[in-house]
Amino acid sequence: MTKKEKAEIISEYLDNLYPTQEIPLKFRNPFTFLIAVLLTAQCTDKRVNEVTPALFDLADNPKDMAKLPVEKIQEIIRPCGLSKNKANNISKLSKTLLEKFGGEVPQNMKDLESLAGVGHKTASVIMMQAFGVPTFPVDTHIHRLATRWHLTSGKSVEQTEKDLKKLFPESSWNKLHLQIIFYGREHCKAHTCKTKETQCELCKMLKAVPIK
């Protein structure tokens, strides 16, 4: 079975399983979405959604956020982990948005990646979910499944992103990003599919080789 044939099977299966894809993070505008995505580093979407309402009630735009003391931001986001670093980045990027981008979240990768705490994956997620631009952000679930399904060498997330973009049509990138994440969380977890008895349906269909 070729990688292209696998890609077609995956697309059809996930379209049937997840015909609609709801963004798991709660947000009010592109700025609050940016902050929410930043907070997900080493933290679950559920925890972020529990924390952000209190923060966004105080500041849901760069101007108000820049006025908040870093200590106040850190106090609110502490449950998300890495709170000191994240609070500093939130404060810095808010000030940068005011100083360089007129208080608006930029709609291109280069400017997004220039913001404190925003790397390639975060910028890709913002472009995709906030602005509807086709990207294929690779998180740990996507990287793990793409490797398990032998769609990529798995040597790096950068290589995985390039390989997936070659295999799937650009029009499907945005929905597949969420579909594969959902599937990895719910059906093809890190500790499963290691034997024929525990393989998920997609691993069986793709003839993924069990570890044992």
Side-chain angles (χ1 to χ4, degrees):
M1 187 184 303
T2 66
K3 290 181 180 179
K4 277 290 187 182
E5 289 172 335
K6 288 183 178 182
E8 291 175 0
I9 291 173
I10 290 168
S11 292
E12 182 176 356
Y13 186 87
L14 294 181
D15 277 345
N16 288 328
L17 189 61
Y18 304 110
T20 59
Q21 309 84 42
E22 183 177 349
I23 300 173
L25 291 173
K26 297 178 182 178
F27 61 99
R28 304 176 185 181
N29 51 48
F31 173 73
T32 54
F33 185 59
L34 171 59
I35 300 305
V37 175
L38 188 150
L39 290 174
T40 60
Q42 298 185 36
C43 183
T44 64
D45 294 341
K46 180 180 179 181
R47 179 60 58 84
V48 171
N49 286 337
E50 292 171 350
V51 166
T52 50
L55 180 63
F56 297 157
D57 282 345
L58 291 177
D60 63 359
N61 59 81
K63 185 176 180 180
D64 289 339
M65 190 70 75
K67 292 178 181 178
L68 283 182
V70 174
E71 294 76 17
K72 181 61 178 179
I73 299 174
Q74 183 178 354
E75 176 188 336
I76 295 172
I77 68 171
R78 194 178 303 279
C80 292
L82 305 175
S83 60
K84 183 176 181 180
N85 188 47
K86 290 178 180 178
N88 282 323
N89 285 334
I90 289 171
S91 182
K92 288 179 182 178
L93 74 80
S94 297
K95 293 172 182 176
T96 300
L97 290 176
L98 292 172
E99 295 167 0
K100 295 186 177 181
F101 303 107
E104 300 292 331
V105 177
Q107 299 187 32
N108 66 82
M109 292 291 291
K110 181 180 178 181
D111 288 339
L112 281 170
E113 290 180 18
S114 73
L115 300 173
V118 179
H120 179 75
K121 190 195 81 172
T122 296
S124 296
V125 171
I126 302 306
M127 291 296 293
M128 174 182 65
Q129 303 292 8
F131 303 122
V133 177
T135 60
F136 211 136
V138 173
D139 77 337
T140 54
H141 293 291
I142 295 175
H143 184 57
R144 175 170 56 79
L145 266 59
T147 303
R148 179 173 282 179
W149 295 337
H150 305 290
L151 301 178
T152 179
S153 65
K155 293 181 179 179
S156 68
V157 292
E158 292 81 10
Q159 186 60 50
T160 297
E161 180 180 337
K162 291 179 182 178
D163 291 341
L164 294 180
K165 283 182 174 179
K166 291 177 182 178
L167 288 172
F168 296 97
E170 185 176 302
S171 59
S172 70
W173 291 354
N174 289 2
K175 67 176 181 179
L176 273 169
H177 166 78
L178 288 175
Q179 288 173 330
I180 296 176
I181 288 175
F182 295 159
Y183 192 76
R185 289 176 177 174
E186 299 170 7
H187 301 284
C188 194
K189 302 178 182 180
H191 63 278
T192 63
C193 301
K194 293 186 177 182
T195 68
K196 290 183 179 180
E197 290 73 24
T198 61
Q199 276 191 318
C200 69
E201 287 303 311
L202 257 182
C203 280
K204 291 177 182 177
M205 294 169 68
L206 300 173
K207 302 187 187 313
V209 181
I211 294 176
K212 294 181 182 180

